[in-house]
């Protein structure tokens, strides 16, 4: 399961970053996003099958639950087209944070591999740093996305 988890995470990072950088709402976005959702789903499923770290349900499984909820919450508005007035904005919010969570896990994984460093401190430092950068990116991009996809009467700017 570790190999499946590793390669699906790399694919999700690749496709998620690609989606973040391209125009939204077109066929390319929909295709690459589907690859992201598939890779994330495989990665998350395999994360629940991995117990080498503590041989029990642990902190990383809780992070996988949060990531699963973010991914599902990002897809429901697109699948249901609801709420009618801002489903695309809800989709973008949740999918953005799905990707930021993936980056948090990736950077935490790298930082914890530095020999002689305290494991949980490195997880906290790496995750917090990526989260703060994610907040800055969110505040930068959301006004543009809301102008393009939002209903200006019922969606307010978060920046």
């Amino acid at each position: 399961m570790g190999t499946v988890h590793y390669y699906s995470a790399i694919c999700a990072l690749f496709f998620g970053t690609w989606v973040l950088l391209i125009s939204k709402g077109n066929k390319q976005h929909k295709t690459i996003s589907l690859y992201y959702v598939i890779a994330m789903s495989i990665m998350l499923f395999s994360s629940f099958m991995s117990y080498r770290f503590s041989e029990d349900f642990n902190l990383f499984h809780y992070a996988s639950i949060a990531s699963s909820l973010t991914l599902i919450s990002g897809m429901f508005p697109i699948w249901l087209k609801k709420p009618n007035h801002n489903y695309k904005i809800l989709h973008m919010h949740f999918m953005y944070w799905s990707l930021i969570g993936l980056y948090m896990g990736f950077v935490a994984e790298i930082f914890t591999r530095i020999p002689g460093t305290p494991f949980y401190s490195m997880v906290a430092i790496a995750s917090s740093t990526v989260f703060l950068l994610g907040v800055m990116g969110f505040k930068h991009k959301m006004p543009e996305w809301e102008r393009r996809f939002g209903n200006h009467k019922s969606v307010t700017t978060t920046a």
Side-chain angles (χ1 to χ4, degrees):
M1 273 296 134
T3 302
V4 170
H5 184 73
Y6 173 81
Y7 285 109
S8 59
I10 295 298
C11 288
L13 281 166
F14 175 75
F15 291 124
T17 302
W18 190 354
V19 169
L20 188 62
L21 297 175
I22 63 175
S23 295
K24 308 298 179 262
N26 58 31
K27 185 174 179 168
Q28 180 187 33
H29 168 242
K30 291 174 185 177
T31 301
I32 303 304
S33 295
L34 177 62
Y35 297 153
Y36 171 74
V37 170
I38 291 169
M40 278 294 288
S41 298
I42 293 168
M43 186 208 65
L44 289 165
F45 177 78
S46 65
S47 75
F48 291 113
M49 301 295 123
S50 301
Y51 290 92
R52 239 179 54 190
F53 176 66
S54 67
E55 298 182 14
D56 200 6
F57 200 85
N58 61 55
L59 170 69
F60 301 104
H61 293 106
Y62 289 110
S64 292
I65 290 171
S67 185
S68 297
L69 292 173
T70 308
L71 185 65
I72 291 166
S73 296
M75 291 310 299
F76 268 115
I78 291 299
W79 291 333
L80 301 176
K81 307 283 191 259
K82 292 188 180 193
N84 294 339
H85 63 283
N86 67 351
Y87 73 93
K88 290 178 184 177
I89 295 298
L90 283 174
H91 167 72
M92 290 178 150
H93 281 240
F94 284 112
M95 296 309 284
Y96 178 86
W97 288 108
S98 169
L99 182 59
I100 295 301
L102 181 61
Y103 284 135
M104 288 168 64
F106 175 66
V107 174
E109 180 70 27
I110 291 170
F111 274 44
T112 59
R113 301 292 177 172
I114 300 171
T117 57
F119 183 83
Y120 285 107
S121 296
M122 296 311 282
V123 169
I125 290 167
S127 297
S128 299
T129 301
V130 173
F131 180 78
L132 290 173
L133 291 171
V135 168
M136 290 171 27
F138 186 81
K139 286 181 176 264
H140 175 74
K141 291 301 284 183
M142 278 317 295
E144 172 191 332
W145 291 337
E146 288 178 345
R147 274 191 304 279
R148 182 161 179 215
F149 297 106
N151 178 336
H152 303 291
K153 294 177 186 168
S154 51
V155 178
T156 58
T157 305
T158 57

